[in-house]
Amino acid sequence: MSAVNVTDTREEEAVVTSATDAAVNTISNAVSNSVSNTAQSYHHGDLRTALLNAAAKRLSEHGVDSLSLRKLAEDAGVSRTAPYHHFKDKSALLSAIAAKGFSDWHSTAKRIFEQEDKTPSARFREFVCEYVGYAAANPEMYELMFGRTIWQNNAATGDLKDVAFPCFQFQVTMTKFWQHKGLLPDNQDALRLAQVTWGTLHGIARLLIDGIYADSSHIQEMCDCAADLFMQASNKA
Amino acid sequence: MSAVNVTDTREEEAVVTSATDAAVNTISNAVSNSVSNTAQSYHHGDLRTALLNAAAKRLSEHGVDSLSLRKLAEDAGVSRTAPYHHFKDKSALLSAIAAKGFSDWHSTAKRIFEQEDKTPSARFREFVCEYVGYAAANPEMYELMFGRTIWQNNAATGDLKDVAFPCFQFQVTMTKFWQHKGLLPDNQDALRLAQVTWGTLHGIARLLIDGIYADSSHIQEMCDCAADLFMQASNKA
DNA sequence: AAGGCTATGTTGACGGTGTCAAGATAAAGT
DNA sequence: ACTTTATCTTGACACCGTCAACATAGCCTT
């Protein structure tokens, strides 16, 4: 890799190596960053989104635990502390990724919910399957979105809350609709019911993701069982 | 604390400090370890359980994220790598703590389930509340037991699985009983139903612990709602 | 009892992490 | 043109898990 003769001082060697890395990474930036193709020397241009992209990639490929600011900085061809000019700390960066996840899921949920050509019952069932399916298909993203990493100690960013809360609210909206349509019992408070139904999906998703006493070959059956259970409950009320 | 004059070599200072710590911790060991009360110089005596105790304490007080082998070793008055003679790695130590948690919970579940003087319905409701209550009261332990830290990549120790699986199995046993008593729908496979009911409790617990759109002041209502839902479902079947 | 085996404890070292402080550079506003 | 501000840099610090090599002490065999 390096043609530099080995010196006895480690500092010099380190400097040379890092300079080489920087050059390599600048090239890879030009390739992956479809915007600018001339090598930018000092300022990156759009480091924030570059970091988020690199993070999303690493997240899906190597899991949330392998996300380090240093690696992301290296991916973006930038020094280790550069990210701090765009994110307060690691948690803030993770929050930003999760925010995109919530935004995406919110859209998906809306799309499913608003399919006028299907019966409410069919949509309800589809929603259940899609929810658990999304979690099982994107375990790392799901883990990040709903894991304690982001939410513990009220560490969630304001930005994150702004995106996540409407997503939660939508769950209540749907619950009310399903209650109205007789798919869910009408004798329960909508908020509580939303928490419980969502809790069920969340719980199933986590048991699947963590591989605790449930495996992905039974997703369909578990979803059907859950949907049946809820819809059966409505017949009594 | 130390009357030793400050020397210019850090190594000496470090040695002195660690020796002092060892003495202090030996005393505290004698207090908490009811077995031996004479100061042991080199060998700890029962480091394994001392580590587990220290871990349990740190876990409940400062959370699972603050658990480091180095701190635990220091708590036990022992050098940083000593724990490796009792646990393969950090994950193994965490597994051992979680195993105790499963064992404890298994006992609690059994006790609730086997109260002959109460109706099955009352016991079911109590079980739901106790489950969520336990999780909310011991969030860090619950997080450790059911979090991905231990289970990801099939990293769970054989010992852990040996304790956890009977715990899971018991959930199925109870489910069958409740189905038989007409508290849960009889037209569903017991395993699936166990996964779904447990998933519900698990999901509610996690939403509460992580503070996601649910807070602990509504535990009772949420548990009642969940119990109602399940029991209502049985009336149709 | 002597000697060796094994369990247990020790320091040293390595590579990894998040984060702060202080300085360098370039862009943007005056 | 000068200054301010945003961005990026290296240096440093305190942690972390873990391996390797060595020290000690208890136990077991002869």
Side-chain angles (χ1 to χ4, degrees), chain A residues 3-9 13:
Chain A
V4 178
N5 291 332
V6 175
T7 65
D8 53 39
T9 75
E13 192 181 1

Side-chain angles (χ1 to χ4, degrees), chain B residues 114-137:
Chain B
E114 291 167 354
Q115 293 172 301
E116 304 284 352
D117 55 326
K118 294 183 181 171
T119 68
S121 159
R123 279 181 274 169
F124 177 72
R125 209 172 272 278
E126 186 176 339
F127 179 81
V128 169
C129 289
E130 285 283 333
Y131 187 99
V132 178
Y134 173 83

Side-chain angles (χ1 to χ4, degrees), chain A residues 60-211:
Chain A
S60 66
E61 287 175 2
H62 302 97
V64 62
D65 290 330
S66 77
L67 279 182
S68 85
L69 288 183
R70 293 170 108 106
K71 282 183 197 155
L72 294 179
E74 192 176 357
D75 285 353
V78 112
S79 79
R80 42 209 187 339
T81 57
Y84 284 91
H85 293 274
H86 300 272
F87 301 96
K88 180 182 157 289
D89 53 19
K90 185 180 183 181
S91 172
L93 191 152
L94 296 181
S95 287
I97 306 170
K100 185 170 183 307
F102 276 109
S103 168
D104 288 350
W105 168 247
H106 195 21
S107 303
T108 303
K110 254 187 189 153
R111 182 176 48 73
I112 298 169
F113 182 68
E114 291 166 356
Q115 292 173 302
E116 305 283 352
D117 55 327
K118 294 183 181 172
T119 67
S121 157
R123 279 181 275 169
F124 177 73
R125 209 172 271 278
E126 186 176 338
F127 179 82
V128 169
C129 289
E130 285 284 333
Y131 187 99
V132 177
Y134 173 83
N138 307 87
E140 302 298 344
M141 182 55 122
Y142 191 89
E143 165 69 25
L144 184 59
M145 288 165 66
F146 295 106
R148 76 167 3 214
T149 312
I150 284 183
W151 296 99
Q152 67 184 336
N153 314 329
N154 269 19
T157 314
D159 289 357
L160 176 61
K161 287 180 178 170
D162 289 345
V163 188
F165 272 49
C167 201
F168 301 163
Q169 287 287 354
F170 191 59
Q171 189 80 18
V172 182
T173 303
M174 290 188 292
T175 301
K176 281 179 182 162
F177 175 79
W178 290 325
Q179 280 183 302
H180 184 65
K181 291 291 180 183
L183 294 173
L184 290 176
D186 213 6
N187 60 344
Q188 297 282 350
D189 179 68
L191 176 56
R192 301 281 160 264
L193 197 53
Q195 288 171 330
V196 171
T197 54
W198 185 21
T200 301
L201 303 185
H202 184 51
I204 292 175
R206 301 223 55 141
L207 291 181
L208 278 169
I209 290 176
D210 297 337

Side-chain angles (χ1 to χ4, degrees), chain A residues 25-41 43-47 50:
Chain A
N25 283 307
T26 301
I27 293 172
S28 78
N29 275 344
V31 173
S32 63
N33 251 10
S34 53
V35 183
S36 65
N37 54 4
T38 62
Q40 60 265 23
S41 53
H43 283 112
H44 180 283
D46 195 359
L47 181 55

Side-chain angles (χ1 to χ4, degrees), chain B residues 140-176:
Chain B
E140 302 298 344
M141 182 56 121
Y142 191 89
E143 164 69 24
L144 183 59
M145 288 166 65
F146 295 107
R148 76 167 4 214
T149 312
I150 284 184
W151 297 100
Q152 68 185 338
N153 315 328
N154 270 20
T157 313
D159 288 359
L160 175 62
K161 286 181 179 169
D162 289 347
V163 187
F165 271 51
C167 201
F168 300 163
Q169 286 288 354
F170 191 61
Q171 189 81 17
V172 183
T173 303
M174 289 188 291
T175 302
K176 282 179 182 163

